[in-house]
Amino acid sequence: MTIDRSQYLLAAFLVAVGGYVLYDASTLEKGFADQPVQPYAVPNVVGAVLVVLGVLLAIATARGDVPEAEEGEDVDLTQGTDLRTVGLLALVLVANIALIDWLGWAITGAILFTGVAAVLGSRTHVRDLAIGTALSVGSWYFFYVALGIPIPAGILDGVL
């Protein structure tokens, strides 16, 4: 029997993240007494689920359970990771994070969508930009108006 160290590493990661979420939830202040769900309720559930999943994964790994490789029609398992594509996707994401406060979500979201589509092989840049703009502006209004979560408007503050 071979020991799958990556499964143990993933289990340890899940337990560590779950533990941190539980710790962070314990530092939250209580809401109003008349609220049936306190602010720490959801993080406690998420943290506990992560810890339980990590423990269950470690137990399954110790019992010899290993996942089977996916055999999709369009997946060539003999090929390695395309590091250029992964690097470009990471670059697009980092640019989004770096620019979101200055340009705002509506613009950086469109750039993110267009950039990811281009990195993954799309050659219809104008259509990608139009779709990305519609999605980012729509999601900005959804979060800001419907959910009440302020997302940075950036240079479009006052326009949106």
Side-chain angles (χ1 to χ4, degrees):
M1 182 171 82
T2 60
I3 296 175
D4 190 350
R5 292 186 181 135
S6 62
Q7 284 186 217
Y8 281 123
L9 184 63
L10 178 61
F13 178 74
L14 289 174
V15 170
V17 170
Y20 179 75
V21 170
L22 289 172
Y23 164 75
D24 197 38
S26 70
T27 62
L28 293 175
E29 295 182 18
K30 291 184 177 183
F32 295 107
D34 62 342
Q35 291 179 331
V37 178
Q38 294 293 315
Y40 51 81
V42 173
N44 277 335
V45 170
V46 171
V49 167
L50 286 172
V51 169
V52 168
L53 287 176
V55 169
L56 290 175
L57 180 60
I59 291 171
T61 303
R63 294 171 62 186
D65 291 343
V66 291
E68 294 181 21
E70 183 178 342
E71 294 183 22
E73 292 178 13
D74 57 347
V75 177
D76 186 5
L77 299 175
T78 60
Q79 294 293 320
T81 302
D82 184 2
L83 293 177
R84 180 182 179 277
T85 301
V86 172
L88 288 173
L89 290 173
L91 182 66
V92 170
L93 181 62
V94 168
N96 182 291
I97 293 169
L99 297 173
I100 193 167
D101 282 337
W102 180 55
L103 293 177
W105 170 249
I107 295 173
T108 59
I111 294 170
L112 176 69
F113 184 86
T114 306
V116 167
V119 168
L120 294 178
S122 175
R123 297 296 165 241
T124 56
H125 303 302
V126 175
R127 184 178 67 189
D128 296 340
L129 185 61
I131 293 171
T133 301
L135 288 174
S136 62
V137 170
S139 62
W140 187 88
Y141 274 112
F142 176 75
F143 277 94
Y144 198 85
V145 176
L147 299 178
I149 300 172
I151 296 178
I155 60 174
L156 297 177
D157 191 19
V159 175
L160 293 175

